Amino acid sequence: MRWIGASTVRAIGSFAPICIRAGALNNSNDLHVSPDHRLFIYQRSDALGAGRHELLVRARHLVNGTTIIQQDGGFMDYFQILFDEHQIIYAEGIAAETLFVDTRNRAALPDDIDAALARALPGHAPRAHLDFEVSEKLLSHPDAAMLLKRASTL
């Protein structure tokens, strides 16, 4: 592990966390993530028509108002884990990505990490995993979360 970062933000609007309630994606407990955090989902059948079984899905695209909700109010502590290479880890039983460094988030990293990036962390160069992100258009199903849950367990 290279770095663990934390930030506290007002949990309103685009900064409000997404709560994935226990069982929504076969997870063991509730999981709170930032709206743009990507979850890794393996579909046994291509239920979305993405042309592949392995998907990275932004949490905000799964909000359905019941099992996956966006929770406004108060403050939220967000944590990021950075490895030398982009990784998929498990949080409450859901496969989720670690921090992938790009031009949008690099400036928020500490100086020593930024210096290491200047020497290039090899696992953060543009790679095929970026092709696994699913567009919002494919997730326009009324309950994409339930569709993906079924597709991953059948």
Side-chain angles (χ1 to χ4, degrees):
M1 187 171 334
R2 172 87 46 171
W3 175 75
I4 298 174
S7 62
T8 301
V9 299
R10 286 189 148 272
I12 57 172
S14 63
F15 294 107
I18 305 298
C19 175
I20 303 167
R21 292 194 171 133
L25 292 174
N26 300 311
N27 46 312
S28 52
N29 295 303
D30 288 357
L31 176 65
H32 293 84
V33 296
S34 67
D36 284 327
H37 199 99
R38 296 186 310 177
L39 307 172
F40 178 82
I41 298 175
Y42 178 82
Q43 312 173 88
R44 293 179 187 269
S45 61
D46 185 11
L48 290 182
R52 60 188 175 278
H53 295 281
E54 298 169 326
L55 309 172
L56 283 170
V57 180
R58 291 182 189 272
R60 67 182 156 97
H61 297 315
L62 297 175
V63 171
N64 59 19
T66 55
T67 61
I68 301 178
I69 60 172
Q70 189 159 23
Q71 292 182 310
D72 273 332
F75 291 87
M76 184 67 185
D77 295 321
Y78 287 119
F79 294 89
Q80 290 291 341
I81 302 171
L82 176 66
F83 290 90
D84 285 346
E85 295 197 10
H86 187 241
Q87 299 288 325
I88 300 296
I89 61 172
Y90 285 87
E92 301 298 350
I94 297 177
E97 70 176 345
T98 59
L99 179 64
F100 179 76
V101 178
D102 64 16
T103 56
R104 294 173 296 156
N105 59 24
R106 185 171 168 181
L109 296 173
D111 291 341
D112 61 325
I113 299 298
D114 190 49
L117 289 171
R119 293 186 300 277
L121 291 176
H124 291 271
R127 296 186 27 176
H129 68 80
L130 295 176
D131 295 333
F132 290 96
E133 184 167 349
V134 177
S135 70
E136 186 174 8
K137 182 179 174 185
L138 279 180
L139 296 164
S140 63
H141 186 276
D143 194 351
M146 182 55 71
L147 187 67
L148 287 169
K149 178 181 177 180
R150 278 185 287 182
S152 67
T153 56
L154 296 177

PDB file of all heavy atoms in Angstrom, residues 69-102:
ATOM      1  N   ILE A  69     -29.451   4.175  -2.167  1.00  0.00           N
ATOM      2  CA  ILE A  69     -29.957   5.541  -2.039  1.00  0.00           C
ATOM      3  C   ILE A  69     -28.807   6.531  -1.874  1.00  0.00           C
ATOM      4  O   ILE A  69     -27.706   6.161  -1.471  1.00  0.00           O
ATOM      5  CB  ILE A  69     -30.917   5.669  -0.835  1.00  0.00           C
ATOM      6  CG1 ILE A  69     -30.200   5.302   0.466  1.00  0.00           C
ATOM      7  CG2 ILE A  69     -32.160   4.807  -1.033  1.00  0.00           C
ATOM      8  CD1 ILE A  69     -31.008   5.596   1.721  1.00  0.00           C
ATOM      9  N   GLN A  70     -29.096   7.792  -2.186  1.00  0.00           N
ATOM     10  CA  GLN A  70     -28.142   8.852  -1.898  1.00  0.00           C
ATOM     11  C   GLN A  70     -28.641   9.553  -0.642  1.00  0.00           C
ATOM     12  O   GLN A  70     -29.805   9.940  -0.564  1.00  0.00           O
ATOM     13  CB  GLN A  70     -28.018   9.832  -3.060  1.00  0.00           C
ATOM     14  CG  GLN A  70     -26.878  10.801  -2.866  1.00  0.00           C
ATOM     15  CD  GLN A  70     -26.397  11.440  -4.157  1.00  0.00           C
ATOM     16  OE1 GLN A  70     -27.128  11.519  -5.132  1.00  0.00           O
ATOM     17  NE2 GLN A  70     -25.158  11.892  -4.146  1.00  0.00           N
ATOM     18  N   GLN A  71     -27.762   9.676   0.369  1.00  0.00           N
ATOM     19  CA  GLN A  71     -28.153  10.199   1.670  1.00  0.00           C
ATOM     20  C   GLN A  71     -27.581  11.593   1.902  1.00  0.00           C
ATOM     21  O   GLN A  71     -26.382  11.743   2.135  1.00  0.00           O
ATOM     22  CB  GLN A  71     -27.667   9.279   2.790  1.00  0.00           C
ATOM     23  CG  GLN A  71     -28.352   7.941   2.812  1.00  0.00           C
ATOM     24  CD  GLN A  71     -27.877   7.089   3.966  1.00  0.00           C
ATOM     25  OE1 GLN A  71     -26.692   6.919   4.179  1.00  0.00           O
ATOM     26  NE2 GLN A  71     -28.816   6.522   4.703  1.00  0.00           N
ATOM     27  N   ASP A  72     -28.445  12.589   1.850  1.00  0.00           N
ATOM     28  CA  ASP A  72     -28.050  13.964   2.156  1.00  0.00           C
ATOM     29  C   ASP A  72     -28.062  14.183   3.660  1.00  0.00           C
ATOM     30  O   ASP A  72     -28.856  13.579   4.379  1.00  0.00           O
ATOM     31  CB  ASP A  72     -29.055  14.958   1.543  1.00  0.00           C
ATOM     32  CG  ASP A  72     -28.724  15.319   0.108  1.00  0.00           C
ATOM     33  OD1 ASP A  72     -27.542  15.280  -0.253  1.00  0.00           O
ATOM     34  OD2 ASP A  72     -29.661  15.637  -0.642  1.00  0.00           O
ATOM     35  N   GLY A  73     -27.195  15.079   4.114  1.00  0.00           N
ATOM     36  CA  GLY A  73     -27.236  15.521   5.504  1.00  0.00           C
ATOM     37  C   GLY A  73     -25.983  15.209   6.286  1.00  0.00           C
ATOM     38  O   GLY A  73     -25.391  14.146   6.140  1.00  0.00           O
ATOM     39  N   GLY A  74     -25.569  16.177   7.063  1.00  0.00           N
ATOM     40  CA  GLY A  74     -24.420  16.001   7.932  1.00  0.00           C
ATOM     41  C   GLY A  74     -23.106  16.065   7.178  1.00  0.00           C
ATOM     42  O   GLY A  74     -22.967  16.781   6.190  1.00  0.00           O
ATOM     43  N   PHE A  75     -22.160  15.286   7.663  1.00  0.00           N
ATOM     44  CA  PHE A  75     -20.828  15.237   7.073  1.00  0.00           C
ATOM     45  C   PHE A  75     -20.484  13.792   6.753  1.00  0.00           C
ATOM     46  O   PHE A  75     -21.020  12.872   7.361  1.00  0.00           O
ATOM     47  CB  PHE A  75     -19.788  15.813   8.041  1.00  0.00           C
ATOM     48  CG  PHE A  75     -19.933  17.291   8.239  1.00  0.00           C
ATOM     49  CD1 PHE A  75     -20.787  17.786   9.212  1.00  0.00           C
ATOM     50  CD2 PHE A  75     -19.229  18.181   7.452  1.00  0.00           C
ATOM     51  CE1 PHE A  75     -20.933  19.151   9.398  1.00  0.00           C
ATOM     52  CE2 PHE A  75     -19.369  19.548   7.621  1.00  0.00           C
ATOM     53  CZ  PHE A  75     -20.227  20.038   8.598  1.00  0.00           C
ATOM     54  N   MET A  76     -19.579  13.605   5.817  1.00  0.00           N
ATOM     55  CA  MET A  76     -19.146  12.259   5.428  1.00  0.00           C
ATOM     56  C   MET A  76     -17.639  12.226   5.369  1.00  0.00           C
ATOM     57  O   MET A  76     -17.012  13.137   4.813  1.00  0.00           O
ATOM     58  CB  MET A  76     -19.738  11.897   4.057  1.00  0.00           C
ATOM     59  CG  MET A  76     -19.425  10.501   3.608  1.00  0.00           C
ATOM     60  SD  MET A  76     -20.250   9.318   4.676  1.00  0.00           S
ATOM     61  CE  MET A  76     -19.628   7.791   4.042  1.00  0.00           C
ATOM     62  N   ASP A  77     -17.051  11.197   5.959  1.00  0.00           N
ATOM     63  CA  ASP A  77     -15.615  10.955   5.841  1.00  0.00           C
ATOM     64  C   ASP A  77     -15.404   9.989   4.687  1.00  0.00           C
ATOM     65  O   ASP A  77     -15.937   8.877   4.707  1.00  0.00           O
ATOM     66  CB  ASP A  77     -15.058  10.327   7.121  1.00  0.00           C
ATOM     67  CG  ASP A  77     -15.143  11.249   8.316  1.00  0.00           C
ATOM     68  OD1 ASP A  77     -14.906  12.463   8.141  1.00  0.00           O
ATOM     69  OD2 ASP A  77     -15.440  10.765   9.421  1.00  0.00           O
ATOM     70  N   TYR A  78     -14.656  10.418   3.693  1.00  0.00           N
ATOM     71  CA  TYR A  78     -14.309   9.548   2.569  1.00  0.00           C
ATOM     72  C   TYR A  78     -12.847   9.154   2.709  1.00  0.00           C
ATOM     73  O   TYR A  78     -11.991   9.987   3.016  1.00  0.00           O
ATOM     74  CB  TYR A  78     -14.518  10.258   1.227  1.00  0.00           C
ATOM     75  CG  TYR A  78     -15.965  10.422   0.841  1.00  0.00           C
ATOM     76  CD1 TYR A  78     -16.519  11.680   0.655  1.00  0.00           C
ATOM     77  CD2 TYR A  78     -16.782   9.313   0.639  1.00  0.00           C
ATOM     78  CE1 TYR A  78     -17.850  11.832   0.285  1.00  0.00           C
ATOM     79  CE2 TYR A  78     -18.111   9.457   0.277  1.00  0.00           C
ATOM     80  CZ  TYR A  78     -18.635  10.715   0.100  1.00  0.00           C
ATOM     81  OH  TYR A  78     -19.949  10.854  -0.258  1.00  0.00           O
ATOM     82  N   PHE A  79     -12.548   7.880   2.483  1.00  0.00           N
ATOM     83  CA  PHE A  79     -11.182   7.365   2.549  1.00  0.00           C
ATOM     84  C   PHE A  79     -10.806   6.826   1.177  1.00  0.00           C
ATOM     85  O   PHE A  79     -11.643   6.229   0.489  1.00  0.00           O
ATOM     86  CB  PHE A  79     -11.073   6.244   3.583  1.00  0.00           C
ATOM     87  CG  PHE A  79     -11.305   6.725   4.984  1.00  0.00           C
ATOM     88  CD1 PHE A  79     -12.584   6.758   5.518  1.00  0.00           C
ATOM     89  CD2 PHE A  79     -10.251   7.160   5.761  1.00  0.00           C
ATOM     90  CE1 PHE A  79     -12.818   7.216   6.800  1.00  0.00           C
ATOM     91  CE2 PHE A  79     -10.465   7.625   7.049  1.00  0.00           C
ATOM     92  CZ  PHE A  79     -11.748   7.653   7.569  1.00  0.00           C
ATOM     93  N   GLN A  80      -9.557   7.021   0.812  1.00  0.00           N
ATOM     94  CA  GLN A  80      -9.032   6.485  -0.440  1.00  0.00           C
ATOM     95  C   GLN A  80      -7.774   5.694  -0.134  1.00  0.00           C
ATOM     96  O   GLN A  80      -6.967   6.096   0.700  1.00  0.00           O
ATOM     97  CB  GLN A  80      -8.690   7.613  -1.429  1.00  0.00           C
ATOM     98  CG  GLN A  80      -9.900   8.321  -1.980  1.00  0.00           C
ATOM     99  CD  GLN A  80     -10.716   7.427  -2.907  1.00  0.00           C
ATOM    100  OE1 GLN A  80     -10.261   6.423  -3.429  1.00  0.00           O
ATOM    101  NE2 GLN A  80     -11.962   7.822  -3.126  1.00  0.00           N
ATOM    102  N   ILE A  81      -7.617   4.575  -0.806  1.00  0.00           N
ATOM    103  CA  ILE A  81      -6.429   3.740  -0.657  1.00  0.00           C
ATOM    104  C   ILE A  81      -5.721   3.719  -2.008  1.00  0.00           C
ATOM    105  O   ILE A  81      -6.341   3.429  -3.033  1.00  0.00           O
ATOM    106  CB  ILE A  81      -6.806   2.303  -0.243  1.00  0.00           C
ATOM    107  CG1 ILE A  81      -7.602   2.310   1.069  1.00  0.00           C
ATOM    108  CG2 ILE A  81      -5.556   1.438  -0.115  1.00  0.00           C
ATOM    109  CD1 ILE A  81      -8.199   0.954   1.411  1.00  0.00           C
ATOM    110  N   LEU A  82      -4.438   4.019  -1.974  1.00  0.00           N
ATOM    111  CA  LEU A  82      -3.635   4.041  -3.199  1.00  0.00           C
ATOM    112  C   LEU A  82      -2.571   2.958  -3.137  1.00  0.00           C
ATOM    113  O   LEU A  82      -1.810   2.882  -2.173  1.00  0.00           O
ATOM    114  CB  LEU A  82      -2.965   5.413  -3.363  1.00  0.00           C
ATOM    115  CG  LEU A  82      -2.012   5.572  -4.546  1.00  0.00           C
ATOM    116  CD1 LEU A  82      -2.775   5.483  -5.862  1.00  0.00           C
ATOM    117  CD2 LEU A  82      -1.261   6.891  -4.448  1.00  0.00           C
ATOM    118  N   PHE A  83      -2.555   2.111  -4.135  1.00  0.00           N
ATOM    119  CA  PHE A  83      -1.521   1.098  -4.299  1.00  0.00           C
ATOM    120  C   PHE A  83      -0.648   1.506  -5.480  1.00  0.00           C
ATOM    121  O   PHE A  83      -1.025   2.385  -6.259  1.00  0.00           O
ATOM    122  CB  PHE A  83      -2.146  -0.278  -4.596  1.00  0.00           C
ATOM    123  CG  PHE A  83      -2.870  -0.879  -3.426  1.00  0.00           C
ATOM    124  CD1 PHE A  83      -4.226  -0.639  -3.224  1.00  0.00           C
ATOM    125  CD2 PHE A  83      -2.206  -1.701  -2.534  1.00  0.00           C
ATOM    126  CE1 PHE A  83      -4.899  -1.200  -2.157  1.00  0.00           C
ATOM    127  CE2 PHE A  83      -2.873  -2.269  -1.459  1.00  0.00           C
ATOM    128  CZ  PHE A  83      -4.220  -2.027  -1.270  1.00  0.00           C
ATOM    129  N   ASP A  84       0.472   0.853  -5.650  1.00  0.00           N
ATOM    130  CA  ASP A  84       1.322   1.148  -6.801  1.00  0.00           C
ATOM    131  C   ASP A  84       0.603   0.818  -8.107  1.00  0.00           C
ATOM    132  O   ASP A  84       0.865   1.414  -9.136  1.00  0.00           O
ATOM    133  CB  ASP A  84       2.641   0.386  -6.732  1.00  0.00           C
ATOM    134  CG  ASP A  84       3.581   0.989  -5.703  1.00  0.00           C
ATOM    135  OD1 ASP A  84       3.327   2.118  -5.242  1.00  0.00           O
ATOM    136  OD2 ASP A  84       4.573   0.327  -5.359  1.00  0.00           O
ATOM    137  N   GLU A  85      -0.290  -0.141  -8.044  1.00  0.00           N
ATOM    138  CA  GLU A  85      -1.117  -0.474  -9.202  1.00  0.00           C
ATOM    139  C   GLU A  85      -2.575  -0.411  -8.783  1.00  0.00           C
ATOM    140  O   GLU A  85      -2.921  -0.722  -7.649  1.00  0.00           O
ATOM    141  CB  GLU A  85      -0.785  -1.868  -9.737  1.00  0.00           C
ATOM    142  CG  GLU A  85       0.614  -1.940 -10.281  1.00  0.00           C
ATOM    143  CD  GLU A  85       0.838  -3.140 -11.167  1.00  0.00           C
ATOM    144  OE1 GLU A  85      -0.143  -3.828 -11.527  1.00  0.00           O
ATOM    145  OE2 GLU A  85       1.992  -3.392 -11.506  1.00  0.00           O
ATOM    146  N   HIS A  86      -3.408  -0.003  -9.708  1.00  0.00           N
ATOM    147  CA  HIS A  86      -4.844   0.057  -9.478  1.00  0.00           C
ATOM    148  C   HIS A  86      -5.322  -1.343  -9.102  1.00  0.00           C
ATOM    149  O   HIS A  86      -4.951  -2.320  -9.734  1.00  0.00           O
ATOM    150  CB  HIS A  86      -5.509   0.539 -10.773  1.00  0.00           C
ATOM    151  CG  HIS A  86      -6.955   0.813 -10.647  1.00  0.00           C
ATOM    152  ND1 HIS A  86      -7.893   0.130 -11.371  1.00  0.00           N
ATOM    153  CD2 HIS A  86      -7.641   1.704  -9.901  1.00  0.00           C
ATOM    154  CE1 HIS A  86      -9.091   0.581 -11.069  1.00  0.00           C
ATOM    155  NE2 HIS A  86      -8.963   1.540 -10.179  1.00  0.00           N
ATOM    156  N   GLN A  87      -6.139  -1.453  -8.049  1.00  0.00           N
ATOM    157  CA  GLN A  87      -6.569  -2.745  -7.546  1.00  0.00           C
ATOM    158  C   GLN A  87      -8.079  -2.794  -7.372  1.00  0.00           C
ATOM    159  O   GLN A  87      -8.733  -1.764  -7.252  1.00  0.00           O
ATOM    160  CB  GLN A  87      -5.934  -3.010  -6.176  1.00  0.00           C
ATOM    161  CG  GLN A  87      -4.427  -3.050  -6.166  1.00  0.00           C
ATOM    162  CD  GLN A  87      -3.869  -4.283  -6.828  1.00  0.00           C
ATOM    163  OE1 GLN A  87      -4.449  -5.368  -6.742  1.00  0.00           O
ATOM    164  NE2 GLN A  87      -2.741  -4.135  -7.496  1.00  0.00           N
ATOM    165  N   ILE A  88      -8.584  -4.004  -7.311  1.00  0.00           N
ATOM    166  CA  ILE A  88      -9.965  -4.258  -6.913  1.00  0.00           C
ATOM    167  C   ILE A  88      -9.889  -4.924  -5.546  1.00  0.00           C
ATOM    168  O   ILE A  88      -9.186  -5.916  -5.366  1.00  0.00           O
ATOM    169  CB  ILE A  88     -10.698  -5.178  -7.920  1.00  0.00           C
ATOM    170  CG1 ILE A  88     -10.742  -4.551  -9.323  1.00  0.00           C
ATOM    171  CG2 ILE A  88     -12.101  -5.506  -7.410  1.00  0.00           C
ATOM    172  CD1 ILE A  88     -11.522  -3.257  -9.429  1.00  0.00           C
ATOM    173  N   ILE A  89     -10.580  -4.336  -4.564  1.00  0.00           N
ATOM    174  CA  ILE A  89     -10.601  -4.886  -3.209  1.00  0.00           C
ATOM    175  C   ILE A  89     -12.055  -5.133  -2.817  1.00  0.00           C
ATOM    176  O   ILE A  89     -12.966  -4.715  -3.526  1.00  0.00           O
ATOM    177  CB  ILE A  89      -9.918  -3.931  -2.202  1.00  0.00           C
ATOM    178  CG1 ILE A  89     -10.657  -2.580  -2.156  1.00  0.00           C
ATOM    179  CG2 ILE A  89      -8.440  -3.753  -2.538  1.00  0.00           C
ATOM    180  CD1 ILE A  89     -10.186  -1.650  -1.058  1.00  0.00           C
ATOM    181  N   TYR A  90     -12.264  -5.781  -1.691  1.00  0.00           N
ATOM    182  CA  TYR A  90     -13.624  -6.045  -1.229  1.00  0.00           C
ATOM    183  C   TYR A  90     -13.958  -5.172  -0.025  1.00  0.00           C
ATOM    184  O   TYR A  90     -13.169  -5.053   0.900  1.00  0.00           O
ATOM    185  CB  TYR A  90     -13.803  -7.525  -0.875  1.00  0.00           C
ATOM    186  CG  TYR A  90     -13.909  -8.368  -2.115  1.00  0.00           C
ATOM    187  CD1 TYR A  90     -12.776  -8.861  -2.733  1.00  0.00           C
ATOM    188  CD2 TYR A  90     -15.146  -8.626  -2.691  1.00  0.00           C
ATOM    189  CE1 TYR A  90     -12.863  -9.601  -3.905  1.00  0.00           C
ATOM    190  CE2 TYR A  90     -15.251  -9.368  -3.856  1.00  0.00           C
ATOM    191  CZ  TYR A  90     -14.106  -9.848  -4.449  1.00  0.00           C
ATOM    192  OH  TYR A  90     -14.209 -10.573  -5.603  1.00  0.00           O
ATOM    193  N   ALA A  91     -15.141  -4.565  -0.090  1.00  0.00           N
ATOM    194  CA  ALA A  91     -15.670  -3.761   1.011  1.00  0.00           C
ATOM    195  C   ALA A  91     -17.082  -4.266   1.287  1.00  0.00           C
ATOM    196  O   ALA A  91     -17.948  -4.190   0.407  1.00  0.00           O
ATOM    197  CB  ALA A  91     -15.695  -2.288   0.626  1.00  0.00           C
ATOM    198  N   GLU A  92     -17.287  -4.815   2.470  1.00  0.00           N
ATOM    199  CA  GLU A  92     -18.591  -5.385   2.843  1.00  0.00           C
ATOM    200  C   GLU A  92     -19.082  -6.408   1.828  1.00  0.00           C
ATOM    201  O   GLU A  92     -20.267  -6.563   1.585  1.00  0.00           O
ATOM    202  CB  GLU A  92     -19.642  -4.289   3.039  1.00  0.00           C
ATOM    203  CG  GLU A  92     -19.305  -3.270   4.095  1.00  0.00           C
ATOM    204  CD  GLU A  92     -19.156  -3.859   5.500  1.00  0.00           C
ATOM    205  OE1 GLU A  92     -19.498  -5.027   5.716  1.00  0.00           O
ATOM    206  OE2 GLU A  92     -18.679  -3.127   6.378  1.00  0.00           O
ATOM    207  N   GLY A  93     -18.141  -7.103   1.181  1.00  0.00           N
ATOM    208  CA  GLY A  93     -18.503  -8.145   0.221  1.00  0.00           C
ATOM    209  C   GLY A  93     -18.695  -7.648  -1.196  1.00  0.00           C
ATOM    210  O   GLY A  93     -19.023  -8.440  -2.084  1.00  0.00           O
ATOM    211  N   ILE A  94     -18.507  -6.363  -1.441  1.00  0.00           N
ATOM    212  CA  ILE A  94     -18.638  -5.803  -2.788  1.00  0.00           C
ATOM    213  C   ILE A  94     -17.248  -5.519  -3.328  1.00  0.00           C
ATOM    214  O   ILE A  94     -16.429  -4.894  -2.648  1.00  0.00           O
ATOM    215  CB  ILE A  94     -19.462  -4.497  -2.783  1.00  0.00           C
ATOM    216  CG1 ILE A  94     -20.886  -4.764  -2.308  1.00  0.00           C
ATOM    217  CG2 ILE A  94     -19.472  -3.861  -4.166  1.00  0.00           C
ATOM    218  CD1 ILE A  94     -21.731  -3.506  -2.202  1.00  0.00           C
ATOM    219  N   ALA A  95     -16.974  -5.957  -4.528  1.00  0.00           N
ATOM    220  CA  ALA A  95     -15.705  -5.652  -5.179  1.00  0.00           C
ATOM    221  C   ALA A  95     -15.730  -4.186  -5.597  1.00  0.00           C
ATOM    222  O   ALA A  95     -16.655  -3.739  -6.271  1.00  0.00           O
ATOM    223  CB  ALA A  95     -15.487  -6.560  -6.382  1.00  0.00           C
ATOM    224  N   ALA A  96     -14.726  -3.433  -5.164  1.00  0.00           N
ATOM    225  CA  ALA A  96     -14.661  -1.998  -5.462  1.00  0.00           C
ATOM    226  C   ALA A  96     -13.227  -1.637  -5.812  1.00  0.00           C
ATOM    227  O   ALA A  96     -12.280  -2.280  -5.365  1.00  0.00           O
ATOM    228  CB  ALA A  96     -15.129  -1.194  -4.249  1.00  0.00           C
ATOM    229  N   GLU A  97     -13.081  -0.585  -6.588  1.00  0.00           N
ATOM    230  CA  GLU A  97     -11.741  -0.191  -6.992  1.00  0.00           C
ATOM    231  C   GLU A  97     -11.050   0.643  -5.913  1.00  0.00           C
ATOM    232  O   GLU A  97     -11.703   1.298  -5.104  1.00  0.00           O
ATOM    233  CB  GLU A  97     -11.781   0.607  -8.296  1.00  0.00           C
ATOM    234  CG  GLU A  97     -12.386   1.984  -8.159  1.00  0.00           C
ATOM    235  CD  GLU A  97     -12.322   2.794  -9.443  1.00  0.00           C
ATOM    236  OE1 GLU A  97     -11.584   2.432 -10.373  1.00  0.00           O
ATOM    237  OE2 GLU A  97     -13.024   3.810  -9.510  1.00  0.00           O
ATOM    238  N   THR A  98      -9.725   0.590  -5.930  1.00  0.00           N
ATOM    239  CA  THR A  98      -8.937   1.502  -5.114  1.00  0.00           C
ATOM    240  C   THR A  98      -8.770   2.784  -5.921  1.00  0.00           C
ATOM    241  O   THR A  98      -9.222   2.873  -7.061  1.00  0.00           O
ATOM    242  CB  THR A  98      -7.558   0.896  -4.791  1.00  0.00           C
ATOM    243  OG1 THR A  98      -6.868   0.614  -6.013  1.00  0.00           O
ATOM    244  CG2 THR A  98      -7.701  -0.363  -3.954  1.00  0.00           C
ATOM    245  N   LEU A  99      -8.116   3.770  -5.328  1.00  0.00           N
ATOM    246  CA  LEU A  99      -7.925   5.044  -6.010  1.00  0.00           C
ATOM    247  C   LEU A  99      -7.141   4.852  -7.297  1.00  0.00           C
ATOM    248  O   LEU A  99      -6.073   4.246  -7.309  1.00  0.00           O
ATOM    249  CB  LEU A  99      -7.174   6.020  -5.098  1.00  0.00           C
ATOM    250  CG  LEU A  99      -6.873   7.397  -5.702  1.00  0.00           C
ATOM    251  CD1 LEU A  99      -8.164   8.150  -5.998  1.00  0.00           C
ATOM    252  CD2 LEU A  99      -5.997   8.200  -4.756  1.00  0.00           C
ATOM    253  N   PHE A 100      -7.698   5.333  -8.373  1.00  0.00           N
ATOM    254  CA  PHE A 100      -6.992   5.362  -9.648  1.00  0.00           C
ATOM    255  C   PHE A 100      -6.587   6.809  -9.872  1.00  0.00           C
ATOM    256  O   PHE A 100      -7.439   7.693  -9.946  1.00  0.00           O
ATOM    257  CB  PHE A 100      -7.875   4.866 -10.794  1.00  0.00           C
ATOM    258  CG  PHE A 100      -7.157   4.906 -12.112  1.00  0.00           C
ATOM    259  CD1 PHE A 100      -6.204   3.943 -12.408  1.00  0.00           C
ATOM    260  CD2 PHE A 100      -7.398   5.905 -13.027  1.00  0.00           C
ATOM    261  CE1 PHE A 100      -5.514   3.985 -13.609  1.00  0.00           C
ATOM    262  CE2 PHE A 100      -6.720   5.956 -14.227  1.00  0.00           C
ATOM    263  CZ  PHE A 100      -5.771   4.984 -14.523  1.00  0.00           C
ATOM    264  N   VAL A 101      -5.305   7.055  -9.927  1.00  0.00           N
ATOM    265  CA  VAL A 101      -4.801   8.421 -10.047  1.00  0.00           C
ATOM    266  C   VAL A 101      -4.949   8.903 -11.486  1.00  0.00           C
ATOM    267  O   VAL A 101      -4.530   8.245 -12.426  1.00  0.00           O
ATOM    268  CB  VAL A 101      -3.330   8.505  -9.606  1.00  0.00           C
ATOM    269  CG1 VAL A 101      -2.802   9.916  -9.771  1.00  0.00           C
ATOM    270  CG2 VAL A 101      -3.197   8.052  -8.160  1.00  0.00           C
ATOM    271  N   ASP A 102      -5.577  10.066 -11.606  1.00  0.00           N
ATOM    272  CA  ASP A 102      -5.676  10.721 -12.900  1.00  0.00           C
ATOM    273  C   ASP A 102      -5.557  12.228 -12.688  1.00  0.00           C
ATOM    274  O   ASP A 102      -5.320  12.685 -11.581  1.00  0.00           O
ATOM    275  CB  ASP A 102      -6.966  10.331 -13.632  1.00  0.00           C
ATOM    276  CG  ASP A 102      -8.233  10.778 -12.928  1.00  0.00           C
ATOM    277  OD1 ASP A 102      -8.182  11.638 -12.029  1.00  0.00           O
ATOM    278  OD2 ASP A 102      -9.306  10.272 -13.287  1.00  0.00           O
TER     279      ASP A 102
END
